[in-house]
Amino acid sequence: MHLRGSAGAALGTGKMSTAVVPELKQISRVEAMRLGPGWSHSCHAMLYAANPGQLFGRIPMRFSVLMQMRFDGLLGFPGGFVDRRFWSLEDGLNRVLGLGLGCLRLTEADYLSSHLTEGPHRVVAHLYARQLTLEQLHAVEISAVHSRDHGLEVLGLVRVPLYTQKDRVGGFPNFLSNAFISTAKYQLLFALKVLNMMPEEKLAEALAAATEKQKKALEKLLPSSS
């Protein structure tokens, strides 16, 4: 299942927009290509597969989505910056994927979205998404262990738990409590919504639970005002 960026609606305002995941400005691929030399381009890929399995024999897995633990301890999608002076977006992305995964080539048909990031650096973040079979996804995981960057810039692939346990924290909410690089958390939520992998209300509930957990953890660390 592919969905081009022009067809992807932005995340809903209100429920999905929080201080933890600031909403980003979405632009088309054509608009992104017209940006001047003052802009940097990052390209990342979300690989996923339908997963009919059940955790503990009762919790539906829905999908398996790959992310990776980076060298800086942050979670992100496979990919990196692309120098537009020498590479097209897809050629640059595939070059980086070859270093971190070892086997896979994405095309323009896998393009999903482009978002502008706020901050001192002017970066447009491009996201690609490709649905694989569960067997193909597992093959990517095996290949990644033998890639050049494994153990160096990439510390390992992880699967995103797309379910919430009865305590309303275990699973996806706990996962969202981790630290993510740059736009990765926003891109994950965006892709899960526009690819119809999780209802928006479930995304909002998981994000709210993760935010509340982080708030309580911070309150424990701060000295009491009493």
Side-chain angles (χ1 to χ4, degrees), residues 1 30 63 70-72 89 100 103 105 116 149 160 171 190:
M1 173 169 57
V30 172
F63 292 90
R70 295 160 40 93
F71 65 94
D72 50 14
L89 292 180
C103 66
R105 288 194 63 83
L116 302 182
D149 281 349
V160 181
F190 178 89

Side-chain angles (χ1 to χ4, degrees), residues 111-130:
Y111 170 79
L112 185 66
S113 64
S114 297
H115 289 90
L116 302 182
T117 64
E118 300 292 338
H121 304 292
R122 305 170 77 188
V123 178
V124 53
H126 306 281
L127 182 64
Y128 292 72
R130 177 179 291 183

Side-chain angles (χ1 to χ4, degrees), residues 45-58:
M46 188 182 90
L47 307 177
Y48 66 100
N51 188 338
Q54 292 186 326
L55 179 66
F56 307 132
R58 55 183 174 79

Side-chain angles (χ1 to χ4, degrees), residues 14-220:
K15 290 190 298 181
M16 295 298 294
S17 299
T18 71
V20 177
V21 186
E23 188 163 347
L24 304 177
K25 180 181 179 181
Q26 185 181 8
I27 63 174
S28 69
R29 178 190 173 91
V30 172
E31 291 171 324
M33 294 298 93
R34 291 174 180 168
L35 293 174
W39 286 86
S40 298
H41 295 259
S42 68
C43 295
H44 292 83
M46 188 182 90
L47 307 177
Y48 66 100
N51 188 338
Q54 292 186 326
L55 179 66
F56 307 132
R58 55 183 174 79
I59 302 176
M61 303 291 287
R62 293 204 191 108
F63 292 90
S64 290
V65 175
L66 293 186
M67 295 190 77
Q68 63 185 17
M69 179 61 69
R70 295 160 40 93
F71 65 94
D72 50 14
L74 300 176
L75 288 168
F77 287 109
F81 281 96
V82 172
D83 192 332
R84 290 281 294 126
R85 296 174 299 173
F86 306 108
W87 306 92
S88 69
L89 292 180
E90 290 74 33
D91 286 342
L93 173 61
N94 286 320
R95 178 175 177 272
V96 179
L97 290 181
L99 299 177
L101 295 183
C103 66
L104 199 63
R105 288 194 63 83
L106 300 187
T107 69
E108 187 175 339
D110 300 305
Y111 170 79
L112 185 66
S113 64
S114 297
H115 289 90
L116 302 182
T117 64
E118 300 292 338
H121 304 292
R122 305 170 77 188
V123 178
V124 53
H126 306 281
L127 182 64
Y128 292 72
R130 177 179 291 183
Q131 182 171 1
L132 307 174
T133 66
L134 201 54
E135 292 74 19
Q136 290 171 328
L137 197 77
H138 185 54
V140 170
E141 292 173 313
I142 294 174
S143 177
V145 176
H146 302 285
S147 67
R148 197 194 77 174
D149 281 349
H150 181 73
L152 298 172
E153 291 189 31
V154 179
L155 302 182
L157 294 176
V158 298
R159 294 192 184 191
V160 181
L162 296 183
Y163 51 81
T164 300
Q165 295 177 250
K166 287 185 177 180
D167 62 3
R168 303 180 67 179
V169 177
F172 195 46
N174 270 339
F175 185 83
L176 292 177
S177 298
N178 287 298
F180 294 77
I181 184 66
S182 186
T183 60
K185 182 187 285 190
Y186 183 88
Q187 289 177 320
L188 172 63
L189 294 170
F190 178 89
L192 291 177
K193 181 194 172 188
V194 300
L195 293 175
N196 298 315
M197 297 170 67
M198 185 180 291
E200 184 175 354
E201 61 271 18
K202 294 297 183 182
L203 290 171
E205 289 172 3
L207 182 56
T211 303
E212 182 63 22
K213 176 184 177 182
Q214 292 172 318
K215 178 182 177 182
K216 290 180 178 179
L218 183 60
E219 289 174 347
K220 289 182 179 180

